[in-house]
């Protein structure tokens, strides 16, 4: 349905006019660098371009006091001395004669984006804006932020579109305390922020940035803070935060709209964040959010001060919004101890308010995390897997080496294939999904089927030929994903063949997920190359760490909250779909 890119050149006008080492990083080149790179990559051309408009006084008034709005309006006519004097009344703020215009455009861009998504003009989009918004408060500018763009968009979505549940994901490396204050007692806005915290020793040095700030009154449990107590958090830490904290709550909340405070100072190379996550991580974070709210994701730029990292991360986000598959992630795949502690303390603080956290055990993190490197486990995959041979493994790459080498793996030409034994002419498929015509060679199929009695029947054999052909297409990098049908009686044997075929055809590790019960588990070597996960199997079992079975939780309690039913199951398969 399309991706909107909302922008206006005028937003490059505001800039610092005097010497201030703290504020000088927030400069016009942030926008031009991001936009230039989007053009270079051909991404801008694939978006619906919308020119930003100014937010009205009434729209700004959704979250700001009239006195504050007129104070900012007056900066238009101030001289440099007066601008500097006024700026000093706030923390980490500079005003410029163009600030009011730019900040109204920034807020207006967010409103246009939300309108385009909620009226169905586009599926999702990004607003490239300056000044940023998430630190700004009802009557205060703060941390380079003048009007709270994302908060205004959320209030507008409630007021003008009648939405009842909005998720705000703040992946900027700073705590968006402005958003937190504006919605802390509001259960219709779930606000999630991770941020560099270092036990309170990092800007903005607030006690209420810690994990135990969970909202107030009706809004208890609708503020989710994940403080990072060390710098250097990487891809695995960010992914773990989404998978183990944000997504369980987000599925349970079931938002109608996702707003992203998309700051990219949380990426490697940024002087503010000092984190290690690579730009590709933002493709994965975006992809995980796209399973929510029917894919209605509106991202708005916040921070991001390393121009190269910023531009690359913006491209990753837009590319994913456009529906391209996420590039492989590099770096350690196990979260660090400090990240696990932070995630666990946020889970513990939120557990009283969320069923999805109560279903699981709330045991503390073991003091020494097992990094699971059993003997015989194959070495870590190259950053791209079999299809990405061009990307070289780097043990501890410096920031620049990540940036010099964007993913070299081209997107497969076919997005999704449906392999049915008999092509179905009545099937209506989206344009990027095709029905597979081809089959593996008959002799080859028979050779793979020979050891299995259940694959002797013609129907099972035809299905197997189709599946082998699909697997080859995926392993050769021509097809991104696919679905194949097989007769139920042949399911376990077909899976045995598919696993063997995958492992002998270049895949180093396979994740197999079975939903529901199979007549028998697959025939696996417990060598660490295959992780078998059976969801909805008979009973919980772990035959080895590579063979896990869990029944679906029985949810008999139709508890209502906000007058509606909160289903706790159904989230596990969705999570995995997001990962694959
Ligand atoms: C939007 C944003 C950071 C302010 C840092 C002040 N603000 N030291 O990233
Ligand atoms: Zn920031």
């Amino acid at each position: 349905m399309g991706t909107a890119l909302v922008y206006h050149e005028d937003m490059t006008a505001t800039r610092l006019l005097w010497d201030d080492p703290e504020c000088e990083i927030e400069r016009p080149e942030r926008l031009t660098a991001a936009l230039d790179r989007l053009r270079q990559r051909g991404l801008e051309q694939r978006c619906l371009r919308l020119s930003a408009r100014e937010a009205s006084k009434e729209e700004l008034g959704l979250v700001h006091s009239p006195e504050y709005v007129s104070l900012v309006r007056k900066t238009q006519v101030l001289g440099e001395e007066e601008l500097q004097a006024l700026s000093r009344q706030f923390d980490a703020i500079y005003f410029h004669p163009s600030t009011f215009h730019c900040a109204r455009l920034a807020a207006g861009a967010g409103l246009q984006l939300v309108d385009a998504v909620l009226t169905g003009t586009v599926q999702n989009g990004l607003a490239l804006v300056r000044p940023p918004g998430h630190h700004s408060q009802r009557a205060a500018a703060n941390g380079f932020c003048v009007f709270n763009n994302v908060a205004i968009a959320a209030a507008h979505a409630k007021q003008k579109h009648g939405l009842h549940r909005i998720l705000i994901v703040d992946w900027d490396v700073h705590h968006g305390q402005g958003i937190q204050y504006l919605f802390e007692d509001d259960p219709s806005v779930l606000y999630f922020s991770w941020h560099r915290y270092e036990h309170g020793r990092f800007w903005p040095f607030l006690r209420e940035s810690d994990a135990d700030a969970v909202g107030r009154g009706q809004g208890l449990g609708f503020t989710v803070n994940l403080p990072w107590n060390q710098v250097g958090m990487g891809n695995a830490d960010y992914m773990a935060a989404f998978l183990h904290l944000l997504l369980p709550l987000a599925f349970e909340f079931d938002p109608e709209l996702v707003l992203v405070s998309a700051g990219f100072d949380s990426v490697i190379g940024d002087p503010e964040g000092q984190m290690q996550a690579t730009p590709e991580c933002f493709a994965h974070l975006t992809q995980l959010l796209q399973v929510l709210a029917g894919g209605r994701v509106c991202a708005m730029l916040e921070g991001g001060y390393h121009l190269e990292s910023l531009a690359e991360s913006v491209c990753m986000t837009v590319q994913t919004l456009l529906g391209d598959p996420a590039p492989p992630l590099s770096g350690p795949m196990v979260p660090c101890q400090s990240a696990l502690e932070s995630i666990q303390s946020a889970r513990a603080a939120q557990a009283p308010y969320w069923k999805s956290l109560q279903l699981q055990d709330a045991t503390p993190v073991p003091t020494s995390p097992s990094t699971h490197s059993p003997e015989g486990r194959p070495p870590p995959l190259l950053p791209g897997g079999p299809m990405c041979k061009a990307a070289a493994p780097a043990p501890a790459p410096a920031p620049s080496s990540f940036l010099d080498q964007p993913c070299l793996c081209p997107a497969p030409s076919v997005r999704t294939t449906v392999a049915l034994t008999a092509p179905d002419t009545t099937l209506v498929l989206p344009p990027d999904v095709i029905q597979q015509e081809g089959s593996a060679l008959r002799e080859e199929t028979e050779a793979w089927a020979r050891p299995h009695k259940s694959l002797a029947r013609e129907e099972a054999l035809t299905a197997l030929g189709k599946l082998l052909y699909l697997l080859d297409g995926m392993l050769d990098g021509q097809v991104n994903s696919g679905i194949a049908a097989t007769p139920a009686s042949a399911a376990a044997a077909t899976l045995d063949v598919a696993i063997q075929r995958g492992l002998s055809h270049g895949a180093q590790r396979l994740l197999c997920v079975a939903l529901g019960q199979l007549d028998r588990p697959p025939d696996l070597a417990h060598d660490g190359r295959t992780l078998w996960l059976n969801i909805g199997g008979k009973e919980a079992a772990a035959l080895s760490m590579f063979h896990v079975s869990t029944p679906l939780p029985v949810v008999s309690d139709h508890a209502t909250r906000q007058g509606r039913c909160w289903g706790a199951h159904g989230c596990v398969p969705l999570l995995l779909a997001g990962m694959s």
Side-chain angles (χ1 to χ4, degrees):
M1 228 199 353
T3 296
L5 183 65
V6 195
Y7 177 73
H8 197 295
E9 208 187 293
D10 285 2
M11 284 185 286
T12 57
T14 178
R15 62 190 174 88
L16 179 65
L17 295 174
W18 50 85
D19 195 61
D20 180 346
E22 189 178 16
C23 291
E24 69 190 9
I25 55 176
E26 203 295 289
R27 43 199 188 101
E29 292 76 23
R30 297 179 56 236
L31 283 191
T32 48
L35 197 67
D36 287 351
R37 187 65 58 87
L38 284 171
R39 291 206 176 117
Q40 265 173 34
R41 293 279 156 84
L43 293 167
E44 186 229 23
Q45 297 85 332
R46 293 169 60 195
C47 292
L48 175 71
R49 280 295 312 270
L50 296 175
S51 178
R53 66 164 173 92
E54 290 188 327
S56 68
K57 193 199 272 184
E58 292 69 38
E59 288 165 336
L60 298 174
L62 287 169
V63 314
H64 297 289
S65 72
E67 298 76 23
Y68 174 66
V69 174
S70 47
L71 176 84
V72 180
R73 179 188 296 278
K74 281 180 196 136
T75 64
Q76 292 178 105
V77 295
L78 297 184
E80 192 174 317
E81 297 278 290
E82 298 162 303
L83 286 169
Q84 198 169 352
L86 182 65
S87 300
R88 273 196 290 266
Q89 294 184 22
F90 300 101
D91 184 10
I93 273 294
Y94 68 84
F95 287 105
H96 179 274
S98 73
T99 292
F100 183 63
H101 177 53
C102 293
R104 281 179 71 184
L105 283 174
L111 294 171
Q112 276 175 295
L113 179 55
V114 163
D115 285 340
V117 166
L118 294 180
T119 58
T121 308
V122 290
Q123 172 67 253
N124 56 34
L126 172 74
L128 272 183
V129 300
R130 290 180 65 238
H134 70 153
H135 298 303
S136 105
Q137 298 150 38
R138 182 167 163 76
N142 182 277
F144 318 153
C145 300
V146 177
F147 296 136
N148 201 314
N149 310 318
V150 166
I152 293 168
H156 170 85
K158 283 178 60 173
Q159 204 207 40
K160 284 275 144 50
H161 296 275
L163 296 201
H164 299 107
R165 292 183 311 281
I166 298 165
L167 169 66
I168 299 178
V169 178
D170 189 340
W171 71 41
D172 186 283
V173 86
H174 301 98
H175 181 213
Q177 87 279 34
I179 302 181
Q180 174 168 316
Y181 298 155
L182 288 165
F183 297 113
E184 60 191 352
D185 60 0
D186 184 347
S188 65
V189 177
L190 173 57
Y191 175 63
F192 169 88
S193 173
W194 65 33
H195 32 267
R196 179 170 172 189
Y197 186 61
E198 297 176 290
H199 302 284
R201 287 186 281 270
F202 188 71
W203 191 92
F205 315 104
L206 299 170
R207 177 65 186 83
E208 61 268 31
S209 304
D210 210 348
D212 60 355
V214 296
R216 296 187 305 140
Q218 291 288 100
L220 274 171
F222 295 92
T223 294
V224 181
N225 282 324
L226 176 56
W228 298 127
N229 287 317
Q230 284 177 11
V231 295
M233 295 302 164
N235 294 339
D237 305 302
Y238 286 7
M239 292 302 282
F242 265 46
L243 294 173
H244 299 293
L245 176 62
L246 172 61
L247 291 182
L249 306 197
F251 281 117
E252 193 176 333
F253 183 63
D254 189 18
E256 299 158 305
L257 175 68
V258 180
L259 301 178
V260 184
S261 263
F264 297 102
D265 40 19
S266 43
V267 73
I268 190 164
D270 192 279
E272 279 287 311
Q274 306 282 325
M275 296 300 178
Q276 290 281 324
T278 60
E280 291 76 19
C281 195
F282 294 93
H284 288 263
L285 302 181
T286 304
Q287 194 171 61
L288 290 172
L289 297 180
Q290 282 175 301
V291 300
L292 299 164
R296 288 182 289 273
V297 176
C298 296
M300 297 172 212
L301 183 64
E302 300 279 2
Y305 307 101
H306 184 287
L307 297 185
E308 179 64 24
S309 289
L310 167 67
E312 204 52 53
S313 306
V314 165
C315 285
M316 287 296 153
T317 304
V318 170
Q319 189 179 300
T320 309
L321 290 174
L322 283 163
D324 291 357
L329 288 178
S330 53
M333 277 300 128
V334 180
C336 70
Q337 178 65 15
S338 174
L340 290 173
E341 282 167 7
S342 291
I343 292 167
Q344 188 51 37
S345 75
R347 283 173 55 101
Q350 297 294 334
Y353 311 103
W354 298 95
K355 269 227 161 66
S356 48
L357 297 183
Q358 293 155 13
L359 287 172
Q360 292 154 47
D361 61 275
T363 50
V365 181
T367 39
S368 107
S370 45
T371 42
H372 294 313
S373 294
E375 305 229 337
R377 187 170 192 253
L381 209 53
L382 294 181
M387 290 87 91
C388 251
K389 303 212 174 64
S400 60
S401 71
F402 278 110
L403 301 165
D404 300 343
Q405 211 185 51
C407 180
L408 297 167
C409 97
S413 50
V414 176
R415 181 82 192 280
T416 303
T417 281
V418 179
L420 300 173
T421 38
D424 185 341
T425 48
T426 62
L427 210 58
V428 184
L429 297 169
D432 52 353
V433 178
I434 62 158
Q435 279 199 60
Q436 175 186 303
E437 308 272 337
S439 273
L441 292 175
R442 180 73 185 191
E443 306 85 78
E444 201 190 353
T445 310
E446 279 172 359
W448 280 101
R450 203 154 297 136
H452 303 274
K453 264 208 215 86
S454 60
L455 293 176
R457 281 178 47 226
E458 186 55 34
E459 198 195 354
L461 214 54
T462 312
L464 184 64
K466 288 262 175 181
L467 173 68
L468 291 175
Y469 189 85
L470 168 60
L471 267 178
D472 287 355
M474 290 176 59
L475 291 164
D476 293 342
Q478 289 145 14
V479 177
N480 191 51
S481 60
I483 184 166
T486 193
S489 59
T494 303
L495 206 58
D496 285 347
V497 173
I499 290 170
Q500 277 184 46
R501 174 74 173 181
L503 293 176
S504 65
H505 197 306
Q508 294 191 43
R509 290 191 293 280
L510 294 177
L511 168 64
C512 305
V513 182
L515 300 177
Q517 289 174 23
L518 229 63
D519 46 342
R520 64 163 173 83
D523 189 18
L524 295 179
H526 293 251
D527 61 356
R529 294 188 69 194
T530 319
L531 173 57
W532 168 254
L533 200 55
N534 188 183
I535 299 164
K538 274 204 197 69
E539 59 204 322
L543 297 181
S544 79
M545 64 175 282
F546 303 112
H547 187 140
V548 180
S549 176
T550 174
L552 270 180
V554 183
V555 183
S556 51
D557 172 21
H558 284 254
T560 53
R561 203 167 161 191
Q562 291 187 328
R564 55 181 218 100
C565 193
W566 291 54
H569 62 319
C571 59
V572 175
L574 274 173
L575 267 181
L576 292 165
M579 287 171 77
S580 57

